[in-house]
Amino acid sequence: MKNQLFATCVILMVLLTSCASYKENIYFQGLERNPEMSYKITNFSPPTIQPGDVLALTVKSLNADGSAIFNSSPATISSAKGKDSDGPAAPATGYLVNKDGEIQLPLVHSVKVGQLSLEDAAATIKSKITPFLKEPEVSVSFMNFKVSVLGDVAHPDVLSVTDERFSITDALSRAGDLTPTANRKNILLVREVDGKRKYINIDITSPRLFESPYYYLKSNDLIYVEPGKDKFASQSSTFKILPIIISIASLILVTYQVTK
């Protein structure tokens, strides 16, 4: 009798806390992949440099001693705080882009890199420093590219990104993936563009996700994964009905012991 009662209570609790259906948890539903399909990537565009970005600069040339003054390292601190900038001084390890989209380089002073891709910025900087160096090679990368992920994921976090080709699936993977109760059809992406904030809803159950212009993320993007209705429904039902189940179980046990 006691074992049967316990088993019944356990089954009821499992039913009350059941999660979303199997189908609702599947990503990229309807994606054609039999036997093998390939699609041309047309929705990736390199991120462009924005005010507030911190850039790492690596310069190599035949006169190595001369190129050292341009490299961003603790030994060559460069503040991008120009006379017209109201931003903070750059960290010791990078060049801060000021509000006018400029960085301050030794010898050449202001260099406009705002709205340029990293590749174009490297070409621009190379043209500026060529008079001072012999056959310079320049590479530029972001130092403060970050994406925030919060909501119904395993590990909400602010993710530091070293690769400019970073997708929403990369971000969710880094955050430990969605929980079973997450709403996969209504993920919110918040992006700042030209001084405005855009709000975009993303459905990762759709195979068209890979074609979305928002599949690849930009620096300072925020991803919010809202909990599905099943999560609150199960929690609410559990908290409301569980005391009733416990009371009934206790009453049955007491009655059983009295009549035994």
Side-chain angles (χ1 to χ4, degrees), residues 7 13 23-24 35 44 76 107 122 125 132 154 171 202 225 232 237:
M13 291 177 65
K23 184 177 180 180
E24 291 175 338
F44 175 73
T76 56
L107 302 180
I125 293 171
F132 306 98
I202 294 176
V225 181
F232 288 104
S237 298

Side-chain angles (χ1 to χ4, degrees), residues 220-257:
N220 297 315
D221 277 356
L222 182 150
I223 299 170
Y224 171 65
V225 181
E226 68 177 26
K229 294 180 180 179
D230 290 333
K231 183 169 188 175
F232 288 104
S234 63
Q235 290 178 343
S236 178
S237 298
T238 300
F239 288 122
K240 289 179 180 179
I241 302 177
L242 185 57
I244 299 176
I245 295 175
I246 294 175
S247 298
I248 294 175
S250 300
L251 179 60
I252 293 175
L253 285 174
V254 171
T255 304
Y256 174 76
Q257 291 175 352

Side-chain angles (χ1 to χ4, degrees), residues 52-194:
D53 285 341
V54 180
L55 305 178
L57 181 61
T58 302
V59 178
K60 298 179 181 179
S61 69
L62 295 182
N63 47 335
D65 292 341
S67 62
I69 65 171
F70 297 102
N71 291 324
S72 51
S73 69
T76 56
I77 300 174
S78 173
S79 171
K81 188 175 181 181
K83 62 181 180 179
D84 297 325
S85 172
D86 56 2
T93 54
Y95 292 90
L96 177 67
V97 182
N98 67 19
K99 65 178 183 179
D100 298 318
E102 299 173 341
I103 59 174
Q104 300 293 319
L105 290 179
L107 302 180
V108 297
H109 306 296
S110 297
V111 179
K112 182 78 170 181
V113 295
Q115 304 303 323
L116 298 180
S117 67
L118 295 179
E119 183 178 356
D120 291 340
T124 298
I125 293 171
K126 179 179 178 179
S127 68
K128 297 289 186 179
I129 65 177
T130 295
F132 306 98
L133 299 175
K134 187 176 181 180
E135 298 182 20
E137 296 180 2
V138 179
S139 64
V140 181
S141 60
F142 291 110
M143 296 188 68
N144 64 337
F145 192 124
K146 68 181 187 302
V147 173
S148 300
V149 183
L150 67 158
D152 208 1
V153 294
H155 307 294
D157 202 356
V158 178
L159 309 175
S160 296
V161 181
T162 56
D163 186 357
E164 61 181 285
R165 195 184 184 97
F166 192 71
S167 69
I168 188 170
T169 49
D170 291 328
L172 294 177
S173 296
R174 288 268 301 273
D177 203 1
L178 308 182
T179 69
T181 56
N183 186 346
R184 286 152 170 75
K185 295 180 178 292
N186 193 29
I187 295 175
L188 176 65
L189 170 65
V190 182
R191 173 172 295 174
E192 295 181 5
V193 180
D194 298 329

